[in-house]
Amino acid sequence: MSDPLLSPEQAQQLVLQDIPVLGVERVPLFDALGRVLAEGIAARHDNPPQDNSAMDGYALRHADIAGASAGQPVLLEVVEDIPAGYVPRKSVGPGQASRIMTGALVPEGADTVVRVEDTRAEGKKAAVLVPPAVGANIRRRGEDVRAGQEVVPAGSPVTPGALALLASLQRALVPVHRQPVVAILSTGDELVEVDEPLAPGKIVNSNTYGLAALCLANGALPLMLPIARDEEAQIRRAVESALSADFILSSGGVSVGDYDYVKKVLDDLGAQARLWRVAMKPGKPLFFCVLQGKPYFGLPGNPVSSLVSFLQFVRPALRKAAGHLPGTWFLPQVAARLEHDLFNDGDRRQYVRARLRLEEGRLLAAAPQGQGSHQLSSMLGTNGLLLLEAGMRLGAGDEVQAQVFGDL
Ligand code: AMP
Ligand code: MG
């Protein structure tokens, strides 16, 4: 009992050491959204594929119009209309221009495009009133990406923007890391399912839902297992059935209570224990082991503790497994100004659920009352965890470090 607790950072590092990066699969482009690219993607062709016009206007030879002005417009013969998507048939000679649309190929002979706003149509001729710089309004071949160049590096998250870029590179199939499948197991004789009657002494199993939702929100696929009673054989069967997943999360049963059988069962199954108990509040009783090659998190049973522990330890592990690059595994941390006093008279760091909001460009933090580890209402409308070190006493207006876990 007297072994010192690990710091949350030590525990995070220990956990991450045992997390494998999952393998690669090729998925249809749109299914790659939210996943992580497993191989760098090079361009097969230049983009833009050819020089094309950035404006609706006239393609022409700059030498012809260099001296044009509203008082002394230059008249040019219009030889062709070039819509986007077609190949010009005529080249532009001295004293000539082609009407050109945005995205249309620049015809041979032309070196500049004049915007239609800087011209006036005069019968079959065009009068140029304002000369742009030479080469203006032409998007050059390859100026976005060059053939052969690696455009999207391995480890890139496939965001909507990256997806559009991959589409422009004609990648119908995309190599991404597998999404971690996460088995979720809640233990406890007191638990009933959401749709079961609440007999005296019972509470609703909320952890399975909260943890599964966090998995989905973090790019993993939850596998929700039935409740296991506080009984060795049942917990053992449940754990064995969870081994089909890449990760196993259980909640409850890892404390020091008389019916906390989870660690015993894991021990019997040959698990290699890595850590137990972290200096944090909520969330002290955290057990982590490797069971037949699979990372296993024994999360605390208290509902808020299980969610906060997920964010600190499981989320980084899932991100590593899914191929996210180091440096992006942990929740982003920022400085915020407290809107009220906040004390931590205990001896462990507190993770205080708080509302972070931007006001005139400054980040403000306010923590709701009721921060008990059983008080799920503290998760409602909150998007941040304030890091309140042991002994810290802060006043309104003081700066506090905050981890961001929801939209600002
Ligand atoms: P334990 O770690 O099993 O001692 O559980 C600690 C506290 O969390 C107890 O008050 C449990 O009733 C509660 N608890 C355990 N599992 C769940 C669950 N799946 N959903 C909601 N509360 C739970
Ligand atoms: Mg229990």
Side-chain angles (χ1 to χ4, degrees), residues 186-187 190-191 203-207 251-253 255 260 301-303:
S186 285
T187 67
E190 73 278 35
L191 301 180
I203 61 160
V204 180
N205 167 22
S206 55
N207 288 356
S251 74
S255 221
D260 290 339
N302 274 307

Side-chain angles (χ1 to χ4, degrees), residues 19-42:
I19 305 302
V21 177
L22 296 176
V24 181
E25 60 187 356
R26 271 156 227 284
V27 301
L29 175 59
F30 202 69
D31 293 346
L33 185 64
R35 314 265 300 258
V36 182
L37 204 64
E39 297 164 12
I41 301 292

Side-chain angles (χ1 to χ4, degrees), residues 85-253:
Y86 295 90
V87 178
R89 278 166 292 131
K90 296 187 178 157
S91 65
V92 172
Q96 296 184 328
S98 285
R99 179 105 169 90
I100 192 165
M101 305 301 140
T102 303
L105 297 189
V106 175
E108 229 157 273
D111 59 11
T112 301
V113 170
V114 177
R115 307 185 301 164
V116 72
E117 295 92 324
D118 294 334
T119 66
R120 192 170 61 222
E122 298 209 348
K124 297 205 157 175
K125 299 200 166 202
V128 177
L129 312 172
V130 185
V134 66
N137 301 318
I138 295 177
R139 305 164 175 161
R140 298 293 167 189
R141 171 180 182 158
E143 110 186 334
D144 187 14
V145 300
R146 292 226 162 264
Q149 173 197 345
E150 185 181 271
V151 181
V152 196
S156 300
V158 183
T159 59
L163 194 86
L165 183 56
L166 290 166
S168 79
L169 300 172
Q170 291 193 300
R171 296 301 161 147
L173 283 180
V174 181
V176 287
H177 289 281
R178 258 187 342 96
Q179 286 179 284
V181 175
V182 184
I184 300 172
L185 170 65
S186 285
T187 67
D189 281 350
E190 73 278 35
L191 301 180
V192 297
E193 290 295 4
V194 275
D195 51 358
E196 282 178 342
L198 201 55
K202 305 292 178 185
I203 61 160
V204 180
N205 167 22
S206 55
N207 288 356
T208 297
Y209 292 89
L211 294 171
L214 278 173
C215 285
L216 274 180
N218 288 284
L221 301 172
L223 178 68
M224 294 157 86
L225 300 177
I227 294 168
R229 303 286 148 213
D230 287 320
E231 193 225 309
E232 258 184 71
Q234 207 176 113
I235 293 174
R236 186 186 172 110
R237 273 198 302 279
V239 169
E240 283 171 337
S241 77
L243 279 166
S244 65
D246 300 304
F247 281 74
I248 306 161
L249 310 184
S250 64
S251 74

